[in-house]
């Protein structure tokens, strides 16, 4: 039996390899942040080690495996970081811009969003990485421009101008629709790349979001991890704010064929859609087969659409255009809510959290007690209630 024994390379050979590696390292030092440069350096490292320990046949086999792995890694990184977040060294960044960016992403963006071009879920941390380069490129001139463009309106402070820039870079759309009986893509479905029956609706939503220049989107079917009680509670508490802060809300009325018959759509029977109607500042309605019901960019500025929505809901134009949440006009708001139905009893109260701007402990299983506590609190405050209320 033939036994092959590998011996350590001669000192002079090892010294030569070390000098060669140091030379190559100097060449790549200035571009070490670039993925291809890093790949080339490590390729040289592997080749140097192989030449000192392996036969030519063994080297060829290992090189083939290495090149395949290198190509796979580069492709994976490009898929994960489509916006080129491998940053150029020395790219200037304004500290207050980056601080505002981190604060906004961590505290105001939805927990998960759909990345529109790829139809995949991204977390807040992934979003932060995706757009970091864009925010690092913000200059003092950009901030000054925001302030100057406010001429004739209330002039924003520097902090307000920076936040406006951050929100402009991270525009997202929200989706309002009537859930299917079955087949809506879930959080796990999107993570695992499953495509249930309702996936096509999500694709259409993303296409409309892209028309509003949004690369991010939020849908209540797949962007909430319901396996996490913490994330579910945050979503319920924050949903009104997420719809309000969105660049646009895309509303899909699957049965409507025109403005005249939109009030018959089942969308107006789903309890959660009340806040989805009131919260957004910009909203676009699509009917059957995703045909737009108006030619307006923002249907909340379209008088005919406002007339139709008001007839269907009993909500005045003023509140449809610029609703102000709070504990005033309690009776009127409760009347609006009475026209919507909810599957879970607790959701009767939870769907009103943002409308009344209250804090409510999320605890499924309490049934009618949840709504009773909410209703009693609202009755106690009446139309004279001010500020925020805490319901427990």
């Amino acid at each position: 039996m033939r036994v092959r024994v590998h011996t350590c390379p001669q000192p002079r050979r090892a010294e030569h390899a070390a000098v060669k590696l140091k030379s190559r390292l100097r060449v790549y030092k200035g571009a070490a942040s670039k993925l291809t440069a890093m790949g080339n350096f490590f390729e040289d490292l592997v080749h140097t080690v192989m030449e000192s320990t392996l036969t030519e046949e063994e080297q060829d086999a290992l090189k083939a495996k290495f090149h395949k792995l290198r190509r796979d890694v580069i492709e994976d990184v490009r898929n994960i970081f489509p916006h080129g977040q491998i940053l150029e060294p020395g790219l200037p960044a304004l500290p207050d811009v980056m601080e505002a960016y981190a604060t906004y992403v961590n505290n105001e963006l939805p927990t998960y969003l759909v990345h529109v071009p790829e139809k995949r879920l991204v977390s807040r941390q992934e979003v932060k990485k995706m757009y970091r380069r864009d925010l690092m490129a913000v200059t003092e001139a950009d901030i000054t421009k925001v302030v100057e463009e406010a001429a004739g309106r209330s002039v924003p402070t520097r902090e307000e101008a920076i936040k406006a820039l951050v929100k402009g870079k991270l525009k997202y759309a929200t989706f309002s629709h009537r859930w299917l009986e079955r087949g809506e893509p879930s959080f796990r479905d999107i993570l695992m790349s499953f495509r249930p029956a309702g996936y096509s609706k999500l694709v259409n939503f993303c296409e409309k979001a892209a028309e509003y220049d949004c690369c991010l989107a939020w849908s209540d079917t797949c962007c909430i991890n319901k396996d996490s009680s913490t994330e579910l509670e945050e979503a319920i508490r924050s949903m009104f704010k997420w719809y309000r802060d969105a660049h646009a809300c895309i509303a899909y009325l699957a049965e409507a064929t025109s403005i005249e018959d939109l009030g018959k759509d089942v969308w107006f029977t789903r309890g959660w859609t009340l806040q989805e109607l009131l919260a957004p500042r910009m909203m676009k309605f699509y009917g059957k087969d995703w045909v737009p019901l108006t030619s307006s960019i923002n249907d909340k500025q379209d008088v005919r659409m406002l007339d139709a929505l008001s007839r269907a809901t009993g909500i005045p134009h003023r509140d449809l255009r610029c609703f102000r949440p709070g504990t005033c006009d309690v009776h009127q708001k409760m009347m609006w809510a009475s026209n919507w139905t909810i599957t879970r009893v607790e959701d009767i109260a939870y769907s009103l959290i943002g409308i009344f701007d209250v804090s409510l402990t999320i605890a499924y299983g309490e049934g009618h007690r949840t709504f009773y506590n909410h209703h009693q609190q609202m009755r106690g405050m009446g139309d004279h209630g001010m500020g925020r209320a805490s319901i427990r």
Side-chain angles (χ1 to χ4, degrees):
M1 179 176 67
R2 182 184 178 187
V3 179
R4 179 183 178 86
V5 178
H6 292 290
T7 59
C8 296
Q10 296 296 322
R12 187 165 54 184
R13 191 174 182 183
E15 182 180 348
H16 175 71
V19 171
K20 182 178 179 181
L21 285 175
K22 287 180 181 178
S23 175
R24 296 298 290 170
L25 180 60
R26 282 195 296 271
V27 171
Y28 292 121
K29 187 176 180 181
S33 65
K34 298 181 183 295
L35 180 63
T36 53
M38 290 176 64
N40 290 336
F41 168 73
F42 285 112
E43 182 179 349
D44 286 341
L45 173 63
V46 172
H47 287 178
T48 302
V49 173
M50 289 194 306
E51 288 170 1
S52 63
T53 59
L54 303 178
T55 66
E56 290 186 5
E57 183 178 353
E58 290 170 330
Q59 289 180 40
D60 290 340
L62 195 56
K63 284 178 182 178
K65 293 180 181 179
F66 177 81
H67 286 305
K68 182 179 185 305
L69 177 62
R70 178 173 175 266
R71 288 193 301 270
D72 290 344
V73 169
I74 290 174
E75 185 64 28
D76 286 344
V77 171
R78 285 173 176 165
N79 288 336
I80 296 171
F81 302 115
H83 294 279
Q85 309 80 313
I86 301 173
L87 304 176
E88 297 287 347
L91 188 66
L94 300 175
D96 48 354
V97 171
M98 302 311 295
E99 182 179 353
Y101 174 48
T103 299
Y104 179 73
V105 172
N106 292 335
N107 297 284
E108 299 191 44
L109 273 188
T111 316
Y112 291 94
L113 289 156
V114 174
H115 184 232
V116 169
E118 299 175 301
K119 316 297 184 297
R120 68 180 181 89
L121 284 175
V122 289
S123 66
R124 286 170 176 155
Q125 291 306 309
E126 288 179 278
V127 170
K128 193 185 296 184
K129 292 176 183 178
M130 288 167 61
Y131 289 89
R132 186 175 177 223
R133 185 185 184 92
D134 293 339
L135 271 298
M136 291 184 75
V138 171
T139 65
E140 290 290 348
D142 295 326
I143 299 173
T144 301
K145 184 178 179 181
V146 172
V147 174
E148 290 176 347
E149 288 179 348
R153 304 191 303 272
S154 176
V155 178
T157 63
R158 177 182 175 83
E159 182 178 350
E160 291 169 340
I162 290 174
K163 185 172 182 179
L165 281 169
V166 171
K167 291 185 68 174
K169 299 286 186 182
L170 276 68
K171 290 187 294 189
Y172 67 92
T174 50
F175 189 24
S176 181
H177 61 116
R178 172 70 173 178
W179 282 39
L180 302 172
E181 290 295 327
R182 66 171 69 89
E184 290 287 357
S186 67
F187 179 82
R188 185 169 295 278
D189 288 336
I190 301 303
L191 280 183
M192 303 299 293
S193 299
F194 294 151
R195 297 187 175 185
Y199 183 77
S200 60
K201 184 167 61 169
L202 179 66
V203 171
N204 285 321
F205 161 52
C206 288
E207 290 176 356
K208 301 308 178 185
E211 291 177 10
Y212 278 81
D213 197 27
C214 294
C215 287
L216 299 170
W218 187 88
S219 173
D220 55 357
T221 57
C222 63
C223 294
I224 303 175
N225 180 11
K226 297 181 178 68
D227 292 334
S228 168
S229 58
T230 301
E231 292 183 14
L232 177 60
E233 180 169 349
E234 180 183 6
I236 291 174
R237 289 176 178 272
S238 306
M239 205 174 296
F240 184 94
K241 185 178 186 304
W242 292 346
Y243 274 92
R244 170 136 294 188
D245 290 347
H247 177 68
C249 176
I250 306 299
Y252 177 53
L253 280 56
E255 299 174 352
T257 58
S258 67
I259 286 182
E260 285 69 29
D261 69 356
L262 92 169
K264 299 176 183 178
D265 194 276
V266 292
W267 186 85
F268 290 97
T269 68
R270 178 178 173 248
W272 289 96
T273 56
L274 176 58
Q275 69 172 359
E276 295 165 14
L277 171 64
L278 294 172
R281 292 184 172 89
M282 180 182 289
M283 199 165 188
K284 184 62 184 175
F285 285 88
Y286 294 86
K288 186 177 180 180
D289 298 326
W290 288 89
V291 175
L293 295 180
T294 75
S295 59
S296 300
I297 295 175
N298 183 4
D299 283 340
K300 288 206 168 185
Q301 300 298 326
D302 187 288
V303 176
R304 289 182 64 232
M305 176 58 77
L306 290 173
D307 286 340
L309 292 173
S310 187
R311 286 195 303 270
T313 63
I315 302 174
H317 284 210
R318 179 189 67 255
D319 291 305
L320 289 170
R321 285 197 310 269
C322 49
F323 175 76
R324 297 181 62 182
T327 52
C328 60
D329 302 321
V330 172
H331 178 72
Q332 183 183 49
K333 292 171 184 175
M334 293 300 289
M335 287 296 295
W336 299 342
S338 67
N339 295 323
W340 270 261
T341 58
I342 293 287
T343 303
R344 293 289 297 270
V345 173
E346 297 91 341
D347 286 340
I348 299 174
Y350 299 155
S351 63
L352 298 175
I353 287 177
I355 291 172
F356 287 105
D357 193 21
V358 296
S359 178
L360 177 64
T361 299
I362 309 300
Y364 281 100
E366 293 190 348
H368 288 282
R369 185 190 307 172
T370 302
F371 180 71
Y372 176 78
N373 291 338
H374 176 278
H375 188 60
Q376 287 298 105
Q377 187 72 27
M378 291 300 98
R379 285 185 62 186
M381 298 188 71
D383 287 347
H384 302 290
M386 298 185 66
R388 292 180 62 86
S390 179
I391 305 172
R392 296 186 183 277

